[in-house]
Structures are given as structure tokens and as C-alpha cells.
Amino acid sequence: MQNMKPSLLFIIVLILSCDLSYGQGKLEKAEESLSKKEELKNRSSRSEYRNNYENDDDSDYSFLLEDISLFLIESLLYATYYTVIETPMETEYKGSMASITKYPYFNYSKKGNYSYEQGDNTSIFRTAIHNRFITENAKLHGNHFNIDTKFLNRIGLEVDYLQLWEENTNFGNNTLAIFTAMAKYHRVRTERFNAWWGLGAVYVGGEVEEFGFAYGLGAELFFAKPFSIETNFYGSFINQESVNKFTALLNYHYQRYKFSGGYEHLKIGSVDFSTFSAGIGVSF
């Protein structure tokens, strides 16, 4: 009987520890995976020691490497400009001078975000405000608020605020906010299709409270009036962990309004979220 007491105590402790592990919410796990500050510090120390050691061994080749690196950088910059900005051949195409429409399918046209002809249907500046509700299950949901501007035909600024909520029976409610600001360049500008890339910054709140570098890619196809298909990807890094957002939406355009529904995938640190998204937007 006395031998059974330690065994019984061990079983109770084991059950409690399992409950704590499984009771932890997805948002809490995501925050923990992004908050590896001590591990990051140790990695940096080891990396610095290794780099110093390697630099001592390679000092005899420094001048040759500098010349080769300079040549490669110049070649890369030359090729990159044509890839991300515009090629000489594209300057002769109508899309090079395409103007921003006041809103997609304006005045019963079949044009999307751009028009080859300037007139009453175009503008030098346009702002779109969108709000989308996202949900993964009955306990985890969120809200996506987005302001997207276009001006000078090719340039854009976007601000995105994502707020997530999770209800946890054993540990209370968890929240997490992600704020993204991005400068965008609209690389492809046709009347039925447009694509962009962008660079910016991200801030993750909650228990993380860290800033990081962000980048993005997106496109929209106006395949049949009044519909369009839109897809966007936003990537960033916090403490060497990724924070990614991917959306695939079917849009219905009615005058200045846009009704959206589709899929949104989030990767916050080591945790993935697959959500349904639905919302409304307006352009002016």
C-alpha cells in the first residue's frame, strides 16, 4: 500500500502536466515561438565568433573578392532594375502609361484598376478601405482592417492591422495584434490584370512586442464583370521566425464597393492558421 502512494502521485503529476500542455492556445504557442530572444542572442554570439575566425583565414584574398563582388553587384543591379521596374520594351507598351481608374468597372466598363486612356474614368490618386472578418473555428477569429492607396500610377502605400482573438476554456482569452506598413510598386498595369511588389515593416504586439522587416507580392485578375480574383502574400521575420499572411479572394464589385470572400492562411512562428475570410471595402 505504501509502495502505491508514490506511483499514484507520479500518475497525478503526469496527468496535470498533459492537461497544461494540451490546454495551451494556438495564439500563446505562436507568441512563444516568436519570443526566443535568449536563443537569438546565443546564435548571434556563435555566428560572430565563427565569422571572425573565417575572416582571419580569408584575409589574403580580400582584394580579389572585393573586385569580383563589385562586378557581380553592378550586374545584379542592372538586371534587377529591368525585372522589378520596367524593361525598355515595356516603355513602348500601353501599360507603361496606364492610369488609375476611379474604381473597378467604373461607368459599366470592363476595366479593372487601370485604364490605357485618361479621362473621366481615371484619377491620379485613389484610396481603398477594406474590413474583413476571419475565422478558423468557434474559438479563434479575428478582424483585418486595411487601407490601400495608389498614386502617380505606379506607387502605393498600404497599412494593414490584424487583430486575433482566441477563447481558451482552461487559460482564459488570448489576443494578438499584427501591424504592417508597406510601400508598393505596381509592376504590371493592364486593364484586366495588375501585379505589385512591396517592402516595409511589421510589428507584432502581445507578449512579443517586436518590429521586423516585411515584403509582399500581389495580383488581381478582372476575369468577368463584376468579378475579380485577388491573391496576396506578405512575409516578415521576427527573431528569425517567419510571420506570413497569404490570401486568396473572390471579389464582387458594385459601383465603389467591393464584397470579398475567400481563404486566408497565417503562419505566426511555428503555428499555422487556416481561416475563412469575408468582408467589404469602398474606394474613393
Side-chain angles (χ1 to χ4, degrees):
M1 196 67 183
Q2 294 179 350
N3 294 334
M4 292 178 62
K5 290 182 178 179
S7 300
L8 181 60
L9 179 61
F10 174 76
I11 293 173
I12 293 174
V13 172
L14 181 61
I15 293 174
L16 289 175
S17 63
C18 291
D19 288 341
L20 291 174
S21 175
Y22 286 105
Q24 188 181 29
K26 293 182 70 175
L27 286 183
E28 187 177 352
K29 291 179 182 178
E31 288 179 304
E32 288 181 356
S33 67
L34 294 179
S35 300
K36 300 176 181 179
K37 298 178 181 178
E38 190 64 31
E39 181 179 347
L40 178 62
K41 185 185 299 182
N42 294 335
R43 288 179 184 174
S44 299
S45 299
R46 291 194 297 267
S47 178
E48 183 179 356
Y49 174 80
R50 184 169 60 253
N51 290 338
N52 290 336
Y53 181 79
E54 292 176 353
N55 289 339
D56 291 338
D57 291 342
D58 296 338
S59 59
D60 295 338
Y61 304 99
S62 59
F63 293 105
L64 178 62
L65 289 177
E66 287 179 1
D67 292 339
I68 295 175
S69 298
L70 182 61
F71 172 77
L72 292 176
I73 290 173
E74 290 177 348
S75 301
L76 180 62
L77 289 176
Y78 185 79
T80 301
Y81 176 84
Y82 287 154
T83 301
V84 302
I85 304 299
E86 194 171 53
T87 65
M89 184 180 300
E90 288 177 297
T91 59
E92 301 177 0
Y93 182 62
K94 293 180 180 179
S96 179
M97 300 300 294
S99 299
I100 304 167
T101 58
K102 290 185 177 180
Y103 54 84
Y105 300 123
F106 175 79
N107 200 21
Y108 306 103
S109 71
K110 296 182 180 180
K111 301 175 182 179
N113 287 318
Y114 286 91
S115 173
Y116 297 147
E117 300 176 356
Q118 294 184 354
D120 294 337
N121 66 325
T122 61
S123 175
I124 61 173
F125 183 89
R126 193 178 91 191
T127 298
I129 299 177
H130 300 94
N131 194 79
R132 298 198 313 275
F133 176 79
I134 65 173
T135 180
E136 184 178 56
N137 50 52
K139 294 185 177 181
L140 197 151
H141 52 275
N143 192 75
H144 228 139
F145 181 74
N146 182 280
I147 301 177
D148 190 12
T149 65
K150 295 181 177 69
F151 55 94
L152 299 179
N153 298 339
R154 306 182 182 208
I155 310 301
L157 292 175
E158 182 179 7
V159 176
D160 185 89
Y161 178 73
L162 171 63
Q163 179 69 58
L164 297 171
W165 297 273
E166 183 179 27
E167 300 176 6
N168 193 303
T169 305
N170 298 323
F171 293 86
N173 298 334
N174 295 324
T175 64
L176 181 63
I178 301 176
F179 178 86
T180 307
M182 184 166 294
K184 301 166 67 173
Y185 180 81
H186 294 272
R187 176 63 177 82
V188 180
R189 305 170 301 280
T190 73
E191 293 183 335
R192 303 297 293 270
F193 176 80
N194 61 273
W196 62 270
W197 59 266
L199 300 174
V202 64
Y203 174 78
V204 180
E207 298 295 328
V208 182
E209 295 185 351
E210 294 280 353
F211 285 92
F213 167 77
Y215 61 94
L217 299 167
E220 188 169 7
L221 173 65
F222 297 85
F223 63 96
K225 183 181 177 180
F227 297 100
S228 70
I229 296 175
E230 179 182 0
T231 180
N232 300 293
F233 174 81
Y234 301 84
S236 57
F237 297 96
I238 300 290
N239 291 334
Q240 295 186 348
E241 292 286 345
S242 59
V243 178
N244 300 334
K245 296 178 289 184
F246 170 79
T247 59
L249 302 172
L250 176 64
N251 300 321
Y252 175 84
H253 300 269
Y254 176 73
Q255 296 182 1
R256 293 184 177 272
Y257 298 95
K258 179 171 75 172
F259 302 89
S260 302
Y263 171 78
E264 183 162 343
H265 180 267
L266 305 172
K267 184 179 185 300
I268 306 175
S270 60
V271 182
D272 291 276
F273 303 83
S274 295
T275 69
F276 169 77
S277 174
I280 185 174
V282 60
S283 297
F284 56 91

Coordinates of all heavy atoms in Angstrom, one line a residue, residues 68-141:
I68 N 35.6 41.1 -57.5 CA 34.6 40.2 -58.1 C 33.2 40.6 -57.5 O 32.2 40.6 -58.3 CB 34.9 38.7 -57.7 CG1 36.2 38.3 -58.4 CG2 33.8 37.8 -58.1 CD1 36.7 36.9 -58.0
S69 N 33.1 40.9 -56.3 CA 31.9 41.3 -55.7 C 31.3 42.6 -56.3 O 30.1 42.7 -56.5 CB 32.0 41.5 -54.1 OG 32.5 40.3 -53.5
L70 N 32.2 43.5 -56.5 CA 31.7 44.8 -57.2 C 31.1 44.5 -58.5 O 30.1 45.1 -58.9 CB 32.9 45.8 -57.2 CG 32.5 47.2 -57.8 CD1 31.5 47.8 -56.9 CD2 33.8 48.0 -57.9
F71 N 31.8 43.7 -59.3 CA 31.3 43.3 -60.6 C 29.9 42.6 -60.6 O 29.0 43.0 -61.3 CB 32.3 42.5 -61.4 CG 31.8 41.9 -62.7 CD1 31.8 42.7 -63.8 CD2 31.4 40.6 -62.8 CE1 31.3 42.2 -65.0 CE2 30.9 40.1 -64.0 CZ 30.9 40.9 -65.1
L72 N 29.8 41.7 -59.7 CA 28.6 41.0 -59.5 C 27.4 41.9 -59.1 O 26.3 41.8 -59.5 CB 28.7 39.8 -58.5 CG 29.7 38.7 -59.0 CD1 29.8 37.6 -57.9 CD2 29.1 38.0 -60.3
I73 N 27.7 42.8 -58.1 CA 26.7 43.7 -57.6 C 26.2 44.6 -58.8 O 25.0 44.9 -58.9 CB 27.2 44.5 -56.5 CG1 27.4 43.6 -55.2 CG2 26.3 45.7 -56.1 CD1 28.1 44.3 -54.1
E74 N 27.1 45.2 -59.6 CA 26.7 46.0 -60.7 C 25.9 45.3 -61.7 O 24.9 45.8 -62.2 CB 28.0 46.6 -61.3 CG 28.7 47.6 -60.5 CD 30.0 48.2 -61.1 OE1 30.4 47.6 -62.2 OE2 30.5 49.1 -60.6
S75 N 26.3 44.0 -62.0 CA 25.5 43.2 -62.9 C 24.1 42.9 -62.4 O 23.1 43.0 -63.1 CB 26.2 41.9 -63.2 OG 27.5 42.2 -63.8
L76 N 24.1 42.6 -61.1 CA 22.8 42.3 -60.4 C 21.8 43.5 -60.4 O 20.7 43.4 -60.7 CB 23.0 41.8 -59.0 CG 21.8 41.4 -58.2 CD1 21.1 40.2 -58.9 CD2 22.2 41.0 -56.8
L77 N 22.4 44.7 -60.1 CA 21.6 45.9 -60.1 C 21.0 46.2 -61.4 O 19.8 46.6 -61.6 CB 22.4 47.0 -59.5 CG 22.7 47.0 -58.0 CD1 23.6 48.2 -57.7 CD2 21.5 47.0 -57.2
Y78 N 21.8 46.0 -62.5 CA 21.4 46.3 -63.8 C 20.2 45.3 -64.2 O 19.2 45.8 -64.8 CB 22.5 46.1 -64.8 CG 22.2 46.5 -66.2 CD1 22.2 47.8 -66.6 CD2 22.0 45.5 -67.2 CE1 21.9 48.1 -67.9 CE2 21.7 45.8 -68.5 CZ 21.7 47.1 -68.9 OH 21.4 47.5 -70.2
A79 N 20.4 44.1 -63.9 CA 19.3 43.1 -64.2 C 18.1 43.3 -63.4 O 17.0 43.1 -63.8 CB 19.9 41.7 -64.1
T80 N 18.3 43.6 -62.1 CA 17.2 43.8 -61.2 C 16.3 44.9 -61.5 O 15.1 44.9 -61.4 CB 17.7 44.0 -59.7 OG1 18.5 42.9 -59.3 CG2 16.6 44.2 -58.7
Y81 N 16.9 46.0 -62.0 CA 16.1 47.2 -62.4 C 15.1 46.8 -63.5 O 13.9 47.1 -63.4 CB 17.0 48.3 -62.9 CG 16.2 49.5 -63.4 CD1 15.7 50.5 -62.6 CD2 15.9 49.6 -64.8 CE1 15.0 51.5 -63.0 CE2 15.1 50.7 -65.3 CZ 14.7 51.6 -64.4 OH 14.0 52.7 -64.8
Y82 N 15.5 46.1 -64.5 CA 14.6 45.6 -65.5 C 13.5 44.7 -65.0 O 12.4 44.6 -65.5 CB 15.3 45.0 -66.7 CG 16.1 46.0 -67.5 CD1 17.3 45.6 -68.2 CD2 15.8 47.3 -67.6 CE1 18.0 46.5 -69.0 CE2 16.5 48.2 -68.4 CZ 17.6 47.8 -69.0 OH 18.3 48.7 -69.8
T83 N 13.9 43.8 -64.0 CA 13.0 42.8 -63.5 C 11.9 43.5 -62.6 O 10.7 43.2 -62.8 CB 13.7 41.8 -62.7 OG1 14.7 41.2 -63.5 CG2 12.8 40.7 -62.1
V84 N 12.3 44.4 -61.7 CA 11.3 44.9 -60.8 C 10.7 46.2 -61.2 O 9.7 46.6 -60.6 CB 12.0 45.0 -59.4 CG1 12.5 43.7 -58.9 CG2 13.1 46.1 -59.4
I85 N 11.3 47.0 -62.1 CA 10.8 48.3 -62.5 C 10.2 48.2 -63.9 O 9.0 48.2 -64.1 CB 11.9 49.3 -62.4 CG1 12.5 49.4 -61.0 CG2 11.3 50.7 -62.8 CD1 11.5 49.7 -59.9
E86 N 11.0 48.1 -64.9 CA 10.5 48.1 -66.3 C 11.6 47.9 -67.3 O 12.7 48.4 -67.1 CB 9.8 49.5 -66.6 CG 8.9 49.5 -67.8 CD 8.1 50.8 -68.0 OE1 8.7 51.8 -67.9 OE2 6.9 50.7 -68.1
T87 N 11.3 47.1 -68.4 CA 12.3 46.9 -69.4 C 12.1 47.9 -70.5 O 11.0 48.5 -70.6 CB 12.1 45.5 -70.0 OG1 10.8 45.4 -70.6 CG2 12.2 44.4 -68.9
P88 N 13.1 48.2 -71.3 CA 13.0 49.1 -72.4 C 11.8 48.8 -73.4 O 11.1 49.7 -73.9 CB 14.3 49.0 -73.2 CG 15.3 48.6 -72.1 CD 14.5 47.6 -71.2
M89 N 11.6 47.5 -73.6 CA 10.5 47.1 -74.5 C 9.1 47.5 -73.9 O 8.2 47.8 -74.7 CB 10.5 45.6 -74.7 CG 9.5 45.0 -75.7 SD 9.7 43.2 -75.9 CE 11.4 43.1 -76.5
E90 N 9.0 47.4 -72.6 CA 7.7 47.7 -72.0 C 7.4 49.2 -72.0 O 6.2 49.6 -72.0 CB 7.7 47.3 -70.5 CG 7.7 45.8 -70.3 CD 7.8 45.4 -68.8 OE1 8.8 45.7 -68.2 OE2 6.8 44.8 -68.3
T91 N 8.3 50.1 -72.2 CA 8.1 51.5 -72.3 C 7.3 51.9 -73.5 O 6.6 52.9 -73.6 CB 9.4 52.3 -72.2 OG1 10.2 51.9 -73.3 CG2 10.1 52.1 -70.9
E92 N 7.3 51.0 -74.5 CA 6.6 51.2 -75.8 C 5.2 50.6 -75.7 O 4.4 50.8 -76.6 CB 7.3 50.6 -76.9 CG 8.7 51.2 -77.1 CD 9.5 50.6 -78.2 OE1 8.9 49.7 -78.9 OE2 10.7 50.9 -78.5
Y93 N 4.8 50.0 -74.6 CA 3.5 49.3 -74.5 C 2.6 50.2 -73.8 O 3.0 51.1 -72.9 CB 3.7 48.0 -73.7 CG 2.4 47.2 -73.5 CD1 1.7 46.7 -74.6 CD2 1.9 46.9 -72.3 CE1 0.6 46.0 -74.5 CE2 0.8 46.2 -72.1 CZ 0.1 45.8 -73.2 OH -1.1 45.1 -73.0
K94 N 1.3 50.1 -74.0 CA 0.3 51.0 -73.4 C 0.3 50.9 -71.9 O 0.0 51.9 -71.2 CB -1.1 50.6 -73.9 CG -1.3 50.8 -75.4 CD -2.8 50.4 -75.8 CE -3.0 50.6 -77.3 NZ -4.4 50.2 -77.7
G95 N 0.6 49.8 -71.3 CA 0.6 49.6 -69.9 C 1.6 50.5 -69.2 O 1.4 50.8 -68.0
S96 N 2.6 50.9 -69.9 CA 3.6 51.8 -69.3 C 3.1 53.1 -68.8 O 3.5 53.7 -67.8 CB 4.8 52.0 -70.2 OG 5.8 52.9 -69.7
M97 N 2.0 53.6 -69.5 CA 1.4 54.9 -69.2 C 0.0 54.8 -68.7 O -0.8 55.7 -68.7 CB 1.5 55.8 -70.5 CG 2.8 56.1 -71.0 SD 3.9 56.9 -69.8 CE 3.0 58.5 -69.7
A98 N -0.4 53.6 -68.3 CA -1.7 53.3 -67.8 C -2.0 54.2 -66.6 O -1.2 54.4 -65.7 CB -1.9 51.8 -67.5
S99 N -3.3 54.6 -66.5 CA -3.7 55.5 -65.4 C -4.6 54.7 -64.4 O -5.3 53.7 -64.8 CB -4.5 56.7 -65.9 OG -3.6 57.5 -66.8
I100 N -4.7 55.2 -63.2 CA -5.6 54.5 -62.2 C -7.0 54.8 -62.4 O -7.4 56.0 -62.6 CB -5.1 55.0 -60.8 CG1 -3.7 54.8 -60.5 CG2 -6.0 54.4 -59.7 CD1 -3.1 55.5 -59.3
T101 N -7.9 53.8 -62.4 CA -9.3 54.1 -62.5 C -9.9 54.6 -61.2 O -9.3 54.4 -60.2 CB -10.0 52.8 -63.0 OG1 -9.8 51.8 -62.0 CG2 -9.5 52.3 -64.3
K102 N -11.0 55.2 -61.3 CA -11.7 55.7 -60.0 C -12.1 54.5 -59.2 O -12.1 54.6 -58.0 CB -12.8 56.6 -60.4 CG -12.4 57.9 -61.0 CD -13.6 58.9 -61.2 CE -13.1 60.2 -61.7 NZ -14.2 61.2 -62.0
Y103 N -12.5 53.5 -59.8 CA -12.8 52.2 -59.1 C -13.0 51.2 -60.2 O -13.4 51.5 -61.4 CB -13.9 52.3 -58.1 CG -15.2 52.8 -58.7 CD1 -16.1 52.0 -59.4 CD2 -15.6 54.1 -58.5 CE1 -17.3 52.4 -59.9 CE2 -16.8 54.6 -59.0 CZ -17.7 53.8 -59.7 OH -18.9 54.2 -60.1
P104 N -12.9 49.9 -59.9 CA -13.0 48.8 -61.0 C -14.4 48.8 -61.6 O -15.4 49.1 -60.9 CB -12.7 47.6 -60.2 CG -11.9 48.0 -59.1 CD -12.3 49.3 -58.7
Y105 N -14.4 48.6 -62.9 CA -15.7 48.5 -63.7 C -16.5 49.8 -63.6 O -17.7 49.9 -63.6 CB -16.6 47.4 -63.2 CG -15.9 46.0 -63.3 CD1 -15.7 45.2 -62.2 CD2 -15.4 45.6 -64.6 CE1 -15.1 43.9 -62.3 CE2 -14.8 44.3 -64.7 CZ -14.7 43.5 -63.6 OH -14.1 42.3 -63.7
F106 N -15.7 50.9 -63.5 CA -16.3 52.3 -63.5 C -17.2 52.5 -64.7 O -16.8 52.3 -65.8 CB -15.3 53.3 -63.3 CG -15.8 54.7 -63.3 CD1 -16.4 55.3 -62.2 CD2 -15.7 55.5 -64.5 CE1 -16.8 56.6 -62.3 CE2 -16.1 56.8 -64.5 CZ -16.7 57.4 -63.4
N107 N -18.4 53.1 -64.5 CA -19.2 53.5 -65.6 C -19.5 52.4 -66.6 O -19.5 52.6 -67.8 CB -18.6 54.7 -66.3 CG -19.7 55.5 -67.1 OD1 -20.9 55.4 -66.8 ND2 -19.2 56.3 -68.0
Y108 N -19.7 51.2 -66.0 CA -20.1 50.0 -66.9 C -19.0 49.5 -67.8 O -19.3 48.8 -68.8 CB -21.4 50.3 -67.6 CG -22.5 50.7 -66.8 CD1 -22.9 52.1 -66.8 CD2 -23.2 49.8 -66.0 CE1 -24.0 52.5 -66.0 CE2 -24.3 50.3 -65.2 CZ -24.6 51.6 -65.2 OH -25.7 52.0 -64.4
S109 N -17.8 49.9 -67.6 CA -16.7 49.5 -68.4 C -16.2 48.1 -68.0 O -16.7 47.6 -66.9 CB -15.5 50.5 -68.3 OG -14.9 50.4 -67.0
K110 N -15.3 47.5 -68.7 CA -14.7 46.2 -68.4 C -13.3 46.3 -67.8 O -12.6 45.4 -67.7 CB -14.7 45.3 -69.6 CG -16.1 45.0 -70.1 CD -16.0 44.0 -71.3 CE -17.4 43.7 -71.8 NZ -17.4 42.7 -73.0
K111 N -13.0 47.5 -67.4 CA -11.6 47.8 -66.9 C -11.5 47.6 -65.4 O -12.5 47.9 -64.7 CB -11.2 49.2 -67.3 CG -11.2 49.5 -68.8 CD -10.9 50.9 -69.1 CE -11.0 51.2 -70.6 NZ -10.7 52.6 -70.9
G112 N -10.3 47.2 -65.0 CA -10.1 46.9 -63.6 C -9.5 48.1 -62.9 O -10.2 49.2 -62.8
N113 N -8.3 48.0 -62.3 CA -7.7 49.0 -61.6 C -7.0 50.1 -62.5 O -6.6 51.1 -62.0 CB -6.6 48.5 -60.6 CG -7.3 47.8 -59.4 OD1 -8.3 48.3 -58.9 ND2 -6.8 46.7 -59.0
Y114 N -6.8 49.7 -63.8 CA -6.0 50.6 -64.7 C -6.8 50.8 -66.0 O -7.5 49.9 -66.5 CB -4.6 50.1 -64.9 CG -3.7 50.3 -63.7 CD1 -3.6 49.3 -62.8 CD2 -3.0 51.5 -63.6 CE1 -2.8 49.5 -61.7 CE2 -2.2 51.7 -62.5 CZ -2.1 50.7 -61.5 OH -1.3 50.9 -60.4
S115 N -6.5 51.9 -66.7 CA -7.1 52.2 -68.0 C -6.0 52.8 -68.9 O -5.1 53.6 -68.4 CB -8.2 53.3 -67.9 OG -8.6 53.7 -69.1
Y116 N -6.0 52.4 -70.1 CA -5.0 52.9 -71.1 C -5.3 54.3 -71.5 O -4.4 55.0 -72.0 CB -4.9 52.0 -72.3 CG -4.4 50.6 -72.0 CD1 -4.9 49.5 -72.8 CD2 -3.5 50.3 -71.0 CE1 -4.5 48.2 -72.5 CE2 -3.1 49.1 -70.7 CZ -3.6 48.0 -71.5 OH -3.2 46.7 -71.2
E117 N -6.5 54.8 -71.3 CA -6.9 56.1 -71.7 C -7.2 57.0 -70.5 O -8.0 56.6 -69.6 CB -8.1 56.1 -72.7 CG -7.8 55.3 -73.9 CD -9.0 55.1 -74.8 OE1 -10.1 55.6 -74.3 OE2 -8.9 54.6 -75.9
Q118 N -6.7 58.2 -70.5 CA -7.1 59.1 -69.4 C -8.4 59.8 -69.7 O -8.7 60.1 -70.9 CB -5.9 60.2 -69.2 CG -4.6 59.6 -68.7 CD -3.6 60.7 -68.5 OE1 -3.8 61.8 -68.7 NE2 -2.5 60.3 -67.9
G119 N -9.1 60.1 -68.6 CA -10.4 60.8 -68.8 C -11.2 60.8 -67.6 O -10.7 60.8 -66.5
D120 N -12.5 60.8 -67.7 CA -13.4 60.9 -66.6 C -13.4 59.7 -65.7 O -13.8 59.7 -64.5 CB -14.9 61.1 -67.0 CG -15.0 62.5 -67.7 OD1 -14.2 63.4 -67.4 OD2 -16.0 62.7 -68.5
N121 N -12.9 58.6 -66.3 CA -12.9 57.3 -65.5 C -11.5 57.1 -64.8 O -11.4 56.1 -64.1 CB -13.1 56.1 -66.4 CG -12.0 55.9 -67.4 OD1 -11.4 56.9 -67.9 ND2 -11.7 54.7 -67.8
T122 N -10.6 58.0 -64.9 CA -9.3 57.9 -64.2 C -9.0 58.9 -63.2 O -9.7 60.0 -63.1 CB -8.2 57.9 -65.3 OG1 -8.1 59.2 -65.9 CG2 -8.3 56.8 -66.3
S123 N -8.1 58.7 -62.3 CA -7.7 59.6 -61.2 C -6.2 59.5 -61.0 O -5.6 58.4 -61.2 CB -8.5 59.3 -60.0 OG -8.1 60.1 -58.9
I124 N -5.6 60.5 -60.4 CA -4.2 60.5 -60.1 C -4.0 59.9 -58.7 O -2.9 59.6 -58.3 CB -3.5 61.9 -60.1 CG1 -4.2 62.8 -59.1 CG2 -3.6 62.4 -61.5 CD1 -3.5 64.2 -59.0
F125 N -5.1 59.7 -57.9 CA -5.0 59.3 -56.5 C -6.2 58.5 -56.2 O -7.3 58.9 -56.5 CB -4.8 60.4 -55.6 CG -4.6 60.0 -54.1 CD1 -3.3 59.8 -53.6 CD2 -5.7 59.9 -53.3 CE1 -3.2 59.4 -52.3 CE2 -5.5 59.5 -52.0 CZ -4.3 59.3 -51.5
R126 N -6.1 57.3 -55.5 CA -7.2 56.5 -55.1 C -6.9 55.8 -53.8 O -5.8 55.3 -53.6 CB -7.6 55.5 -56.2 CG -9.0 54.9 -55.9 CD -9.3 53.9 -57.0 NE -8.8 52.5 -56.7 CZ -8.8 51.5 -57.6 NH1 -9.2 51.7 -58.8 NH2 -8.4 50.3 -57.2
T127 N -7.9 55.8 -52.9 CA -7.8 55.2 -51.6 C -8.9 54.1 -51.5 O -10.1 54.4 -51.8 CB -7.9 56.2 -50.5 OG1 -6.8 57.1 -50.5 CG2 -7.8 55.4 -49.1
A128 N -8.5 52.9 -51.0 CA -9.5 51.9 -50.8 C -9.4 51.4 -49.3 O -8.3 51.2 -48.8 CB -9.2 50.7 -51.7
I129 N -10.5 51.3 -48.7 CA -10.6 50.9 -47.3 C -11.3 49.6 -47.3 O -12.5 49.5 -47.8 CB -11.3 51.9 -46.4 CG1 -10.5 53.2 -46.4 CG2 -11.4 51.4 -45.0 CD1 -11.1 54.3 -45.6
H130 N -10.7 48.6 -46.6 CA -11.4 47.2 -46.6 C -11.4 46.8 -45.1 O -10.5 47.0 -44.3 CB -10.6 46.2 -47.4 CG -10.5 46.5 -48.8 ND1 -9.5 47.2 -49.4 CD2 -11.4 46.3 -49.9 CE1 -9.7 47.4 -50.7 NE2 -10.8 46.8 -51.0
N131 N -12.4 46.0 -44.8 CA -12.5 45.4 -43.5 C -13.0 43.9 -43.7 O -14.1 43.7 -44.3 CB -13.5 46.1 -42.5 CG -13.3 45.6 -41.1 OD1 -12.4 46.0 -40.4 ND2 -14.2 44.8 -40.6
R132 N -12.2 43.0 -43.2 CA -12.6 41.6 -43.4 C -12.6 40.9 -42.0 O -11.7 41.0 -41.2 CB -11.6 40.9 -44.3 CG -11.6 41.4 -45.7 CD -10.9 40.4 -46.7 NE -9.7 39.8 -46.2 CZ -8.5 40.4 -46.3 NH1 -8.4 41.6 -46.9 NH2 -7.4 39.8 -45.9
F133 N -13.6 40.0 -41.8 CA -13.7 39.2 -40.7 C -13.1 37.8 -41.0 O -13.5 37.3 -42.1 CB -15.1 39.1 -40.2 CG -15.3 38.1 -39.0 CD1 -15.0 38.5 -37.8 CD2 -15.8 36.8 -39.3 CE1 -15.2 37.6 -36.7 CE2 -16.0 36.0 -38.2 CZ -15.7 36.4 -36.9
I134 N -12.3 37.2 -40.2 CA -11.7 35.9 -40.4 C -12.0 35.0 -39.3 O -12.1 35.4 -38.1 CB -10.2 36.0 -40.7 CG1 -9.4 36.4 -39.4 CG2 -9.8 36.9 -41.9 CD1 -7.9 36.4 -39.6
T135 N -12.1 33.7 -39.6 CA -12.4 32.8 -38.5 C -11.9 31.4 -38.9 O -11.9 31.0 -40.0 CB -14.0 32.6 -38.3 OG1 -14.2 31.7 -37.2 CG2 -14.7 32.2 -39.5
E136 N -11.3 30.7 -37.9 CA -10.8 29.4 -38.1 C -11.7 28.3 -37.5 O -12.0 27.3 -38.1 CB -9.4 29.2 -37.5 CG -8.8 27.8 -37.7 CD -7.4 27.7 -37.1 OE1 -7.3 27.9 -35.9 OE2 -6.5 27.3 -37.9
N137 N -12.3 28.7 -36.3 CA -13.3 27.8 -35.7 C -14.1 28.7 -34.7 O -13.9 29.9 -34.7 CB -12.6 26.6 -34.9 CG -11.4 27.1 -34.0 OD1 -11.6 28.0 -33.2 ND2 -10.3 26.5 -34.2
A138 N -14.9 28.0 -33.9 CA -15.8 28.8 -33.0 C -15.0 29.5 -31.9 O -15.5 30.5 -31.3 CB -16.8 27.8 -32.3
K139 N -13.7 29.1 -31.7 CA -13.0 29.7 -30.6 C -11.9 30.7 -31.1 O -11.4 31.5 -30.3 CB -12.3 28.7 -29.7 CG -13.2 27.8 -29.0 CD -12.5 26.8 -28.1 CE -13.5 26.0 -27.2 NZ -12.8 25.1 -26.3
L140 N -11.5 30.7 -32.3 CA -10.5 31.5 -32.9 C -11.0 32.3 -34.1 O -11.4 31.8 -35.0 CB -9.3 30.7 -33.3 CG -8.0 31.5 -33.4 CD1 -6.8 30.6 -33.1 CD2 -7.8 32.1 -34.9
H141 N -10.9 33.6 -33.9 CA -11.4 34.5 -35.0 C -10.6 35.8 -35.0 O -9.8 36.1 -34.0 CB -12.9 34.8 -34.9 CG -13.3 35.3 -33.6 ND1 -13.6 34.4 -32.5 CD2 -13.5 36.5 -33.1 CE1 -14.0 35.1 -31.5 NE2 -13.9 36.4 -31.8

